Amino acid sequence: MRRAALAAGLLCYATSGAEAHNVIPGTSGFTGGLLHPLLVPSHVLALIALGLLIGAFRRRTQFALLAAFVIASLASFALIAMAYSASRAETLILCLAAVTGLMLAANLALSAPFCAALAAFMAAAILFDSVPSVLTVRETALSLAGTVLSAVAILAATAGISAALPPSVKTIAVRIAGSWIAASAVMVLALRLSA
Amino acid sequence: MRRAAVVALLTLFTVSSAAAHTGEGLAGGFGGGFVHPLLGPDHIAAMLAVGLWGAFLGAPALWLLPVAFPLVMAMGGVLGILGVPLPGIEIGIAVSAVVLGLMVALAAKPHIAVAAILVGAFAIFHGHAHGTELPAGANALAYALGFVVATGLLHLAGIGFGLLAQYPGGRVAVRAAGGAIAFAGLIFLGRLI
């Protein structure tokens, strides 16, 4: 009986709680949030696509677009704090990645306000899809702060690299990257919608 | 009772935390997708031929074909995912190697629209083949990105070699490579018929 109790105790020790939205089990809070956009494929793709789009603008407009992303992130955080949620946020991210990829592949000349709106939608979708499965407001706030910081870093890095490329290489490389992103996103969208 | 303790201890090694939407297997998803086109000689031959032909045709085909191919391939992939049947997928892929290889071997230079339509038509077959094997798991996007990137890199490899066509000796080598691809395509076709 004592051994059975020991076995049961060991089993209890081995099992851990369900972690619905921790990218790496064991990481949570700020670190978990920081890693989230880097390790979730749909987030990485959407952010790279948006970064490439931002990289086509002048430096001042690039900062304005990044600011739009951050402001939309803060607004989304306020909504999350008021217990709003979005169940299809990842599908929206894939849609936005596909549309952005297609626009990059087509080499469309887009206006800054349109890109700001796109950045705002993407920020909201990413934040709603990054809400951790923790119950404390502090943990959620830390995690989402990490997510925003990481997302802005990806956007800034991609836009910076894209802007630094020689114009002849940039046009072709960005179009090819856009077509790859759009193709991947479209197929996974079809997979999700057919499931 | 002792056995129960042993079983319990063994169970320790099999238990892990439940975690949806995780980054685990991300590399596996991408890797699985990346090697998928590289494991099919017919895919490799046709993708190299697309790049060779693009380089042979020069700008804008040089970059238009690698941009258009993944997008049209995705449409084929969507058909495969949705279960829309397309007859003769494998035959279509083998024929793509024959036709595109011949285009390079014969140094054919049709209008860019004709080249794009021809390459796009074959992209549907390649996409359908990839799409039907797309896993439904959490790493489907990593898998899709993996095979799209591998396909794109095969195009770029073809373009890289095809750029030798600007030199007299290189032109012969590129056309010979096209001939070899067409011949390989005939072998793939012969195995299917």
Side-chain angles (χ1 to χ4, degrees):
Chain A
M1 198 68 186
R2 206 172 147 187
R3 283 176 183 164
L6 178 69
L10 285 169
L11 273 174
C12 288
Y13 187 73
T15 51
S16 60
E19 293 170 47
H21 240 87
N22 292 342
V23 178
I24 297 177
T27 61
S28 59
F30 186 75
T31 314
L34 205 64
L35 291 172
H36 200 268
L38 291 165
L39 294 175
V40 178
S42 55
H43 293 205
V44 180
L45 272 195
L47 288 168
I48 288 175
L50 184 62
L52 292 173
L53 208 62
I54 291 172
F57 290 92
R58 290 182 180 179
R59 187 61 64 87
R60 279 183 71 176
T61 315
Q62 287 182 14
F63 282 121
L65 292 171
L66 287 175
F69 186 90
V70 173
I71 291 166
S73 298
L74 294 174
S76 304
F77 176 70
L79 290 172
I80 290 165
M82 287 189 280
Y84 281 93
S85 64
S87 57
R88 291 250 176 184
E90 197 177 16
T91 306
L92 180 61
I93 293 170
L94 284 170
C95 288
L96 291 170
V99 169
T100 312
L102 282 173
M103 289 189 298
L104 289 169
N107 198 23
L108 292 179
L110 300 167
S111 67
F114 177 83
C115 288
L118 191 68
F121 273 115
M122 206 172 276
I126 286 174
L127 228 69
F128 273 102
D129 195 47
S130 304
V131 178
S133 59
V134 290
L135 296 173
T136 65
V137 176
R138 185 176 173 277
E139 280 283 298
T140 305
L142 279 173
S143 177
L144 293 180
T147 299
V148 174
L149 189 68
S150 187
V152 171
I154 293 170
L155 286 177
T158 313
I161 292 168
S162 165
L165 289 173
S168 56
V169 176
K170 181 182 170 181
T171 309
I172 297 171
V174 167
R175 292 187 78 164
I176 289 176
S179 80
W180 289 2
I181 291 169
S184 310
V186 162
M187 280 186 281
V188 178
L189 268 173
L191 194 69
R192 296 274 164 88
L193 297 175
S194 67
Chain B
M1 205 53 85
R2 198 171 164 186
R3 281 180 189 161
V6 171
V7 169
L9 277 170
L10 286 172
T11 314
L12 289 177
F13 295 99
T14 63
V15 177
S16 63
S17 60
H21 193 90
T22 71
E24 282 183 78
L26 186 64
F30 183 84
F34 191 83
V35 298
H36 189 250
L38 304 178
L39 293 176
D42 44 357
H43 283 291
I44 294 175
M47 295 309 101
L48 288 174
V50 169
L52 287 174
W53 200 26
F56 224 96
L57 292 170
L62 180 67
W63 52 264
L64 190 65
L65 297 185
V67 168
F69 193 95
L71 295 174
V72 184
M73 187 174 78
M75 289 182 210
V78 169
L79 292 178
I81 291 162
L82 298 177
V84 177
L86 199 63
I89 298 292
E90 292 303 320
I91 289 174
I93 291 170
V95 169
S96 72
V98 176
V99 173
L100 295 172
L102 275 177
M103 291 293 136
V104 179
L106 300 173
K109 287 195 174 183
H111 190 270
I112 180 67
V114 175
I117 290 169
L118 193 61
V119 167
F122 289 130
I124 296 278
F125 290 102
H126 287 268
H128 197 285
H130 293 313
T132 47
E133 293 178 32
L134 199 65
N139 298 310
L141 185 57
Y143 185 93
L145 186 65
F147 80 70
V148 169
V149 168
T151 300
L153 291 178
L154 286 171
H155 290 159
L156 293 179
I159 288 171
F161 187 73
L163 288 175
L164 291 173
Q166 51 194 313
Y167 307 104
R171 192 175 169 82
V172 174
V174 172
R175 290 184 68 173
I181 289 171
F183 183 69
L186 282 174
I187 294 173
F188 302 142
L189 201 56
R191 283 179 187 166
L192 293 168
I193 297 173

